[in-house]
Amino acid sequence: MVRYAQLVMGPAGSGKSTYCDMLYKHCEVIRRSVKVVNLDPAAEYFQYPLTADIRDLIQLDDVMDDETLHFGPNGGLLFCMEYFSKNFEWLLEQIEEDCDDDYVIFDCPGQIELYTHLPIMRQLVEQLESWNFRTVGIFLLDAQFLVDTPKYFSGVLAALSVMVTLEIAHVNIMTKIDLLSKNDRENLDKYLEPDVNLLSQNTDTARYKKKFFKLNSVLARIIEDYSLVKFHPLNYSDEDSISDTLIIIDNIMQYGEDQEVKEPKELDRDEDDYSDKHEPNDD
Protein backbone atom coordinates (compact mmCIF):
# COMPACT_ATOMS: atom_id res chain seq x y z
CA MET A 1 0.00 0.00 0.00
CA VAL A 2 1.31 3.41 -0.99
CA ARG A 3 1.33 5.94 1.83
CA TYR A 4 1.85 9.69 1.80
CA ALA A 5 3.88 12.07 3.94
CA GLN A 6 4.39 15.81 4.24
CA LEU A 7 7.62 17.04 5.85
CA VAL A 8 6.71 20.52 7.13
CA MET A 9 9.86 22.64 7.40
CA GLY A 10 10.87 26.28 7.64
CA PRO A 11 12.58 28.85 9.88
CA ALA A 12 11.48 29.32 13.48
CA GLY A 13 8.29 31.38 13.58
CA SER A 14 7.29 30.62 10.00
CA GLY A 15 4.08 28.92 11.17
CA LYS A 16 4.84 25.20 10.92
CA SER A 17 2.65 24.12 13.84
CA THR A 18 -0.11 26.51 12.73
CA TYR A 19 0.05 24.99 9.26
CA CYS A 20 -0.23 21.45 10.67
CA ASP A 21 -3.17 22.48 12.85
CA MET A 22 -4.92 24.23 9.96
CA LEU A 23 -4.42 21.30 7.61
CA TYR A 24 -5.56 18.76 10.19
CA LYS A 25 -8.80 20.69 10.78
CA HIS A 26 -9.36 21.16 7.05
CA CYS A 27 -8.96 17.42 6.47
CA GLU A 28 -11.49 16.76 9.22
CA VAL A 29 -13.99 18.95 7.36
CA ILE A 30 -13.43 17.15 4.04
CA ARG A 31 -13.45 13.79 5.87
CA ARG A 32 -9.90 12.84 5.06
CA SER A 33 -8.15 10.95 7.82
CA VAL A 34 -4.62 12.18 8.55
CA LYS A 35 -2.02 11.69 11.26
CA VAL A 36 0.25 14.40 12.64
CA VAL A 37 3.68 13.54 14.04
CA ASN A 38 5.80 15.97 16.05
CA LEU A 39 9.53 15.76 15.30
CA ASP A 40 10.54 18.85 17.30
CA PRO A 41 11.97 17.82 20.71
CA ALA A 42 11.80 21.46 21.85
CA ALA A 43 8.07 21.90 21.12
CA GLU A 44 5.80 22.81 24.03
CA TYR A 45 2.16 22.87 23.01
CA PHE A 46 -0.03 21.57 20.17
CA GLN A 47 -3.63 22.37 19.29
CA TYR A 48 -4.03 19.15 17.33
CA PRO A 49 -3.83 15.50 18.47
CA LEU A 50 -0.50 13.78 17.89
CA THR A 51 -0.13 10.24 16.60
CA ALA A 52 3.53 10.26 17.61
CA ASP A 53 5.66 12.72 19.56
CA ILE A 54 9.46 12.63 19.50
CA ARG A 55 9.40 13.94 23.08
CA ASP A 56 8.25 10.46 24.12
CA LEU A 57 11.57 9.22 22.76
CA ILE A 58 13.85 12.09 23.82
CA GLN A 59 13.31 15.61 25.15
CA LEU A 60 15.47 18.68 24.71
CA ASP A 61 15.14 19.69 28.38
CA ASP A 62 16.48 16.32 29.53
CA VAL A 63 19.48 16.62 27.22
CA MET A 64 20.27 20.15 28.37
CA ASP A 65 19.94 19.13 32.03
CA ASP A 66 22.40 16.27 31.59
CA GLU A 67 25.58 17.50 33.28
CA THR A 68 27.74 15.08 31.29
CA LEU A 69 26.74 16.55 27.92
CA HIS A 70 26.96 20.32 28.53
CA PHE A 71 24.73 21.19 25.58
CA GLY A 72 22.94 24.46 24.94
CA PRO A 73 19.59 24.69 23.09
CA ASN A 74 20.98 24.33 19.57
CA GLY A 75 23.52 21.60 20.34
CA GLY A 76 20.96 19.80 22.45
CA LEU A 77 18.43 19.77 19.63
CA LEU A 78 20.97 18.39 17.18
CA PHE A 79 21.85 15.67 19.72
CA CYS A 80 18.14 14.79 20.00
CA MET A 81 17.76 14.50 16.25
CA GLU A 82 20.87 12.35 15.89
CA TYR A 83 19.48 10.07 18.60
CA PHE A 84 16.19 9.95 16.69
CA SER A 85 18.01 8.99 13.47
CA LYS A 86 19.35 5.91 15.27
CA ASN A 87 15.88 4.90 16.43
CA PHE A 88 13.70 5.17 13.33
CA GLU A 89 12.05 1.87 14.25
CA TRP A 90 10.34 3.75 17.12
CA LEU A 91 8.66 6.01 14.55
CA LEU A 92 7.47 3.07 12.46
CA GLU A 93 5.92 1.44 15.53
CA GLN A 94 4.06 4.64 16.39
CA ILE A 95 2.73 5.12 12.86
CA GLU A 96 1.64 1.53 12.35
CA GLU A 97 -0.34 1.32 15.58
CA ASP A 98 -3.20 2.74 13.52
CA CYS A 99 -3.09 1.31 10.02
CA ASP A 100 -6.30 3.01 8.83
CA ASP A 101 -4.53 6.27 7.94
CA ASP A 102 -2.12 6.45 5.02
CA TYR A 103 -1.46 10.23 5.15
CA VAL A 104 1.03 11.56 7.71
CA ILE A 105 2.09 15.16 8.37
CA PHE A 106 5.47 15.59 10.07
CA ASP A 107 5.98 18.81 12.03
CA CYS A 108 9.77 19.27 11.79
CA PRO A 109 12.24 21.44 13.76
CA GLY A 110 13.28 24.82 12.37
CA GLN A 111 17.08 24.53 12.73
CA ILE A 112 18.51 24.95 9.22
CA GLU A 113 21.55 22.80 10.06
CA LEU A 114 19.32 19.74 9.88
CA TYR A 115 18.69 20.37 6.19
CA THR A 116 22.04 21.77 5.01
CA HIS A 117 25.13 19.98 6.32
CA LEU A 118 23.71 17.18 8.50
CA PRO A 119 22.34 13.94 6.99
CA ILE A 120 19.50 13.43 9.49
CA MET A 121 16.52 14.64 7.44
CA ARG A 122 17.86 12.99 4.30
CA GLN A 123 18.09 9.73 6.24
CA LEU A 124 14.49 10.20 7.37
CA VAL A 125 13.37 10.68 3.77
CA GLU A 126 15.16 7.49 2.71
CA GLN A 127 13.59 5.61 5.64
CA LEU A 128 10.11 6.82 4.73
CA GLU A 129 10.64 5.75 1.13
CA SER A 130 11.66 2.28 2.34
CA TRP A 131 8.32 2.16 4.22
CA ASN A 132 6.52 2.89 0.95
CA PHE A 133 5.82 6.57 1.67
CA ARG A 134 5.50 9.09 -1.14
CA THR A 135 7.07 12.14 0.49
CA VAL A 136 6.77 15.84 -0.30
CA GLY A 137 8.73 18.63 1.37
CA ILE A 138 6.75 21.68 2.51
CA PHE A 139 8.93 24.72 3.19
CA LEU A 140 7.21 27.67 4.89
CA LEU A 141 8.36 31.29 4.81
CA ASP A 142 6.70 34.06 6.82
CA ALA A 143 5.24 36.64 4.40
CA GLN A 144 6.27 39.41 6.76
CA PHE A 145 9.85 38.72 5.61
CA LEU A 146 8.88 40.63 2.47
CA VAL A 147 9.38 43.95 4.25
CA ASP A 148 13.01 43.02 4.94
CA THR A 149 14.88 42.15 1.74
CA PRO A 150 17.91 40.44 3.39
CA LYS A 151 15.61 38.21 5.48
CA TYR A 152 13.53 37.39 2.43
CA PHE A 153 16.53 36.21 0.42
CA SER A 154 17.87 34.30 3.41
CA GLY A 155 14.59 32.41 3.31
CA VAL A 156 14.86 31.89 -0.45
CA LEU A 157 18.37 30.45 -0.10
CA ALA A 158 17.26 28.25 2.80
CA ALA A 159 14.41 26.89 0.68
CA LEU A 160 16.81 26.22 -2.19
CA SER A 161 19.25 24.45 0.14
CA VAL A 162 16.50 22.18 1.47
CA MET A 163 15.29 21.34 -2.04
CA VAL A 164 18.77 20.45 -3.27
CA THR A 165 19.66 18.43 -0.15
CA LEU A 166 16.50 16.34 0.23
CA GLU A 167 15.87 15.74 -3.49
CA ILE A 168 12.15 15.11 -3.09
CA ALA A 169 9.00 16.69 -4.49
CA HIS A 170 8.76 20.14 -2.93
CA VAL A 171 6.28 22.97 -2.33
CA ASN A 172 7.37 26.36 -0.99
CA ILE A 173 4.59 28.22 0.80
CA MET A 174 4.35 31.89 1.78
CA THR A 175 2.40 31.96 5.06
CA LYS A 176 0.59 34.72 6.98
CA ILE A 177 -0.52 36.54 3.84
CA ASP A 178 -3.47 37.93 5.81
CA LEU A 179 -1.07 39.88 8.06
CA LEU A 180 0.49 41.87 5.20
CA SER A 181 -0.37 45.50 4.63
CA LYS A 182 -2.51 46.40 1.63
CA ASN A 183 0.53 47.76 -0.21
CA ASP A 184 2.59 44.61 0.42
CA ARG A 185 -0.27 42.40 -0.77
CA GLU A 186 -0.45 44.39 -4.00
CA ASN A 187 3.27 43.78 -4.59
CA LEU A 188 3.17 40.13 -3.57
CA ASP A 189 3.57 38.62 -7.05
CA LYS A 190 7.19 39.67 -7.46
CA TYR A 191 8.05 37.79 -4.26
CA LEU A 192 6.28 34.55 -5.18
CA GLU A 193 8.82 34.08 -7.98
CA PRO A 194 11.95 35.66 -6.46
CA ASP A 195 13.04 38.76 -8.36
CA VAL A 196 16.81 38.83 -7.97
CA ASN A 197 16.84 42.57 -8.74
CA LEU A 198 15.45 43.07 -5.24
CA LEU A 199 18.89 42.19 -3.89
CA SER A 200 20.21 45.52 -5.14
CA GLN A 201 17.19 47.52 -4.02
CA ASN A 202 15.81 48.75 -0.71
CA THR A 203 19.27 49.10 0.86
CA ASP A 204 19.85 51.74 3.49
CA THR A 205 23.01 53.45 2.25
CA ALA A 206 25.31 53.67 -0.74
CA ARG A 207 28.07 52.17 1.39
CA TYR A 208 25.94 49.08 2.02
CA LYS A 209 25.34 48.71 -1.71
CA LYS A 210 29.03 48.95 -2.56
CA LYS A 211 30.16 46.60 0.20
CA PHE A 212 27.76 43.81 -0.64
CA PHE A 213 27.34 44.32 -4.38
CA LYS A 214 29.59 41.40 -5.35
CA LEU A 215 28.06 39.08 -2.75
CA ASN A 216 24.54 39.99 -3.82
CA SER A 217 25.47 39.43 -7.47
CA VAL A 218 26.72 35.91 -6.68
CA LEU A 219 23.61 35.08 -4.66
CA ALA A 220 21.39 36.37 -7.45
CA ARG A 221 23.23 34.22 -9.97
CA ILE A 222 22.82 31.11 -7.79
CA ILE A 223 19.08 31.67 -7.48
CA GLU A 224 18.71 32.28 -11.21
CA ASP A 225 20.88 29.31 -12.21
CA TYR A 226 18.87 26.82 -10.15
CA SER A 227 15.53 28.45 -11.00
CA LEU A 228 13.72 26.18 -8.54
CA VAL A 229 12.28 28.45 -5.85
CA LYS A 230 8.70 29.61 -6.25
CA PHE A 231 6.21 30.30 -3.48
CA HIS A 232 2.53 29.53 -3.19
CA PRO A 233 0.58 32.08 -1.09
CA LEU A 234 -1.41 30.70 1.84
CA ASN A 235 -4.01 32.66 3.78
CA TYR A 236 -5.09 30.76 6.89
CA SER A 237 -8.30 32.81 7.15
CA ASP A 238 -9.41 31.81 3.63
CA GLU A 239 -10.77 28.28 3.28
CA ASP A 240 -10.37 28.39 -0.52
CA SER A 241 -6.67 29.23 -0.11
CA ILE A 242 -6.23 26.22 2.19
CA SER A 243 -8.08 23.96 -0.24
CA ASP A 244 -6.03 25.19 -3.21
CA THR A 245 -2.81 24.54 -1.31
CA LEU A 246 -3.83 20.97 -0.48
CA ILE A 247 -4.80 20.33 -4.10
CA ILE A 248 -1.35 21.47 -5.27
CA ILE A 249 0.34 19.17 -2.76
CA ASP A 250 -1.93 16.23 -3.63
CA ASN A 251 -1.18 16.63 -7.34
CA ILE A 252 2.56 16.68 -6.74
CA MET A 253 2.35 13.53 -4.59
CA GLN A 254 -0.18 11.92 -6.95
CA TYR A 255 -2.37 11.34 -3.92
CA GLY A 256 -5.15 8.84 -4.57
CA GLU A 257 -4.02 7.87 -8.07
CA ASP A 258 -3.18 4.34 -6.93
CA GLN A 259 -6.64 3.70 -5.54
CA GLU A 260 -8.76 1.28 -7.52
CA VAL A 261 -11.69 2.80 -9.36
CA LYS A 262 -14.87 0.96 -8.45
CA GLU A 263 -17.97 1.25 -10.59
CA PRO A 264 -20.92 2.13 -8.35
CA LYS A 265 -23.79 -0.33 -8.25
CA GLU A 266 -26.25 2.49 -8.91
CA LEU A 267 -24.71 2.88 -12.36
CA ASP A 268 -25.32 -0.81 -13.13
CA ARG A 269 -29.00 -0.48 -12.15
CA ASP A 270 -29.37 2.65 -14.23
CA GLU A 271 -27.88 0.87 -17.23
CA ASP A 272 -30.29 -2.06 -16.74
CA ASP A 273 -33.24 0.32 -16.50
CA TYR A 274 -32.05 2.10 -19.62
CA SER A 275 -31.78 -1.22 -21.49
CA ASP A 276 -35.28 -2.29 -20.41
CA LYS A 277 -36.84 0.97 -21.45
CA HIS A 278 -35.10 1.08 -24.83
CA GLU A 279 -35.37 -2.51 -26.02
CA PRO A 280 -36.54 -2.74 -29.65
CA ASN A 281 -40.32 -3.09 -29.94
CA ASP A 282 -41.23 -5.89 -32.34
CA ASP A 283 -44.90 -4.81 -32.53
Short mmCIF file of all heavy atoms in Angstrom, two decimals, residues 30 32-33 77 79 112 118 127 132 138-139 152 156 158 187 238 247:
data_model
loop_
_atom_site.label_atom_id
_atom_site.label_comp_id
_atom_site.label_asym_id
_atom_site.label_seq_id
_atom_site.Cartn_x
_atom_site.Cartn_y
_atom_site.Cartn_z
N ILE A 30 -13.23 17.86 5.31
CA ILE A 30 -13.43 17.15 4.04
C ILE A 30 -13.42 15.63 4.24
O ILE A 30 -13.42 14.88 3.27
CB ILE A 30 -12.36 17.57 3.00
CG1 ILE A 30 -10.96 17.15 3.45
CG2 ILE A 30 -12.44 19.06 2.73
CD1 ILE A 30 -9.88 17.43 2.41
N ARG A 32 -11.11 13.57 5.37
CA ARG A 32 -9.90 12.84 5.06
C ARG A 32 -9.17 12.56 6.37
O ARG A 32 -8.94 13.47 7.16
CB ARG A 32 -8.98 13.64 4.13
CG ARG A 32 -7.68 12.89 3.84
CD ARG A 32 -6.67 13.73 3.09
NE ARG A 32 -7.13 14.11 1.77
CZ ARG A 32 -6.36 14.76 0.89
NH1 ARG A 32 -5.12 15.10 1.22
NH2 ARG A 32 -6.84 15.08 -0.29
N SER A 33 -8.81 11.33 6.58
CA SER A 33 -8.15 10.95 7.82
C SER A 33 -6.64 11.14 7.68
O SER A 33 -6.02 10.61 6.75
CB SER A 33 -8.46 9.49 8.16
OG SER A 33 -7.89 9.14 9.39
N LEU A 77 19.40 20.20 20.63
CA LEU A 77 18.43 19.77 19.63
C LEU A 77 19.07 18.87 18.58
O LEU A 77 18.50 17.86 18.18
CB LEU A 77 17.79 20.98 18.95
CG LEU A 77 16.65 20.62 17.98
CD1 LEU A 77 15.48 21.56 18.15
CD2 LEU A 77 17.14 20.65 16.54
N PHE A 79 21.62 16.96 19.06
CA PHE A 79 21.85 15.67 19.72
C PHE A 79 20.57 14.84 19.71
O PHE A 79 20.60 13.64 19.44
CB PHE A 79 22.32 15.90 21.16
CG PHE A 79 22.54 14.64 21.94
CD1 PHE A 79 23.77 13.99 21.93
CD2 PHE A 79 21.51 14.09 22.70
CE1 PHE A 79 23.96 12.82 22.65
CE2 PHE A 79 21.69 12.92 23.43
CZ PHE A 79 22.92 12.28 23.39
N ILE A 112 18.12 25.14 10.62
CA ILE A 112 18.51 24.95 9.22
C ILE A 112 19.64 23.95 9.08
O ILE A 112 19.80 23.32 8.03
CB ILE A 112 18.89 26.31 8.59
CG1 ILE A 112 18.97 26.19 7.06
CG2 ILE A 112 20.19 26.84 9.20
CD1 ILE A 112 17.67 25.84 6.40
N LEU A 118 23.87 18.41 7.72
CA LEU A 118 23.71 17.18 8.50
C LEU A 118 22.82 16.22 7.73
O LEU A 118 21.89 16.64 7.05
CB LEU A 118 23.10 17.49 9.88
CG LEU A 118 23.98 18.28 10.85
CD1 LEU A 118 23.23 18.57 12.13
CD2 LEU A 118 25.28 17.54 11.16
N GLN A 127 14.30 6.59 4.81
CA GLN A 127 13.59 5.61 5.64
C GLN A 127 12.11 5.58 5.29
O GLN A 127 11.51 4.51 5.16
CB GLN A 127 13.77 5.97 7.12
CG GLN A 127 13.39 4.85 8.06
CD GLN A 127 14.31 3.65 7.96
OE1 GLN A 127 15.48 3.73 8.28
NE2 GLN A 127 13.77 2.53 7.52
N ASN A 132 7.50 2.69 2.01
CA ASN A 132 6.52 2.89 0.95
C ASN A 132 5.74 4.21 1.09
O ASN A 132 4.58 4.28 0.71
CB ASN A 132 5.54 1.71 0.88
CG ASN A 132 5.07 1.44 -0.54
OD1 ASN A 132 5.78 1.75 -1.49
ND2 ASN A 132 3.90 0.88 -0.68
N ILE A 138 7.49 20.42 2.44
CA ILE A 138 6.75 21.68 2.51
C ILE A 138 7.62 22.68 3.26
O ILE A 138 7.90 22.50 4.45
CB ILE A 138 5.40 21.50 3.26
CG1 ILE A 138 4.61 20.32 2.69
CG2 ILE A 138 4.60 22.79 3.22
CD1 ILE A 138 4.19 20.49 1.26
N PHE A 139 8.07 23.72 2.57
CA PHE A 139 8.93 24.72 3.19
C PHE A 139 8.13 26.01 3.35
O PHE A 139 7.63 26.57 2.37
CB PHE A 139 10.18 24.98 2.34
CG PHE A 139 11.19 25.86 3.03
CD1 PHE A 139 12.16 25.32 3.86
CD2 PHE A 139 11.14 27.24 2.87
CE1 PHE A 139 13.08 26.13 4.51
CE2 PHE A 139 12.06 28.06 3.51
CZ PHE A 139 13.03 27.51 4.33
N TYR A 152 14.27 38.09 3.48
CA TYR A 152 13.53 37.39 2.43
C TYR A 152 14.47 36.48 1.63
O TYR A 152 14.17 35.31 1.41
CB TYR A 152 12.86 38.40 1.50
CG TYR A 152 12.29 37.79 0.24
CD1 TYR A 152 11.18 36.94 0.29
CD2 TYR A 152 12.87 38.05 -1.00
CE1 TYR A 152 10.68 36.37 -0.87
CE2 TYR A 152 12.36 37.49 -2.16
CZ TYR A 152 11.27 36.66 -2.09
OH TYR A 152 10.77 36.09 -3.23
N VAL A 156 14.79 32.47 0.89
CA VAL A 156 14.86 31.89 -0.45
C VAL A 156 16.03 30.91 -0.55
O VAL A 156 15.89 29.79 -1.06
CB VAL A 156 14.99 32.99 -1.51
CG1 VAL A 156 15.29 32.38 -2.88
CG2 VAL A 156 13.72 33.83 -1.58
N ALA A 158 17.53 29.40 1.93
CA ALA A 158 17.26 28.25 2.80
C ALA A 158 16.35 27.25 2.09
O ALA A 158 16.57 26.03 2.15
CB ALA A 158 16.63 28.71 4.11
N ASN A 187 1.96 44.06 -4.00
CA ASN A 187 3.27 43.78 -4.59
C ASN A 187 3.73 42.34 -4.38
O ASN A 187 4.90 42.02 -4.58
CB ASN A 187 4.33 44.73 -4.00
CG ASN A 187 4.06 46.18 -4.37
OD1 ASN A 187 3.70 46.49 -5.50
ND2 ASN A 187 4.23 47.08 -3.41
N ASP A 238 -8.66 32.04 4.85
CA ASP A 238 -9.41 31.81 3.63
C ASP A 238 -9.46 30.31 3.34
O ASP A 238 -8.44 29.70 3.01
CB ASP A 238 -8.75 32.57 2.47
CG ASP A 238 -9.53 32.46 1.17
OD1 ASP A 238 -10.50 31.68 1.11
OD2 ASP A 238 -9.16 33.15 0.20
N ILE A 247 -4.68 20.89 -2.76
CA ILE A 247 -4.80 20.33 -4.10
C ILE A 247 -3.45 20.31 -4.80
O ILE A 247 -3.08 19.32 -5.46
CB ILE A 247 -5.83 21.14 -4.93
CG1 ILE A 247 -7.25 20.88 -4.41
CG2 ILE A 247 -5.74 20.77 -6.41
CD1 ILE A 247 -8.29 21.77 -5.03
#
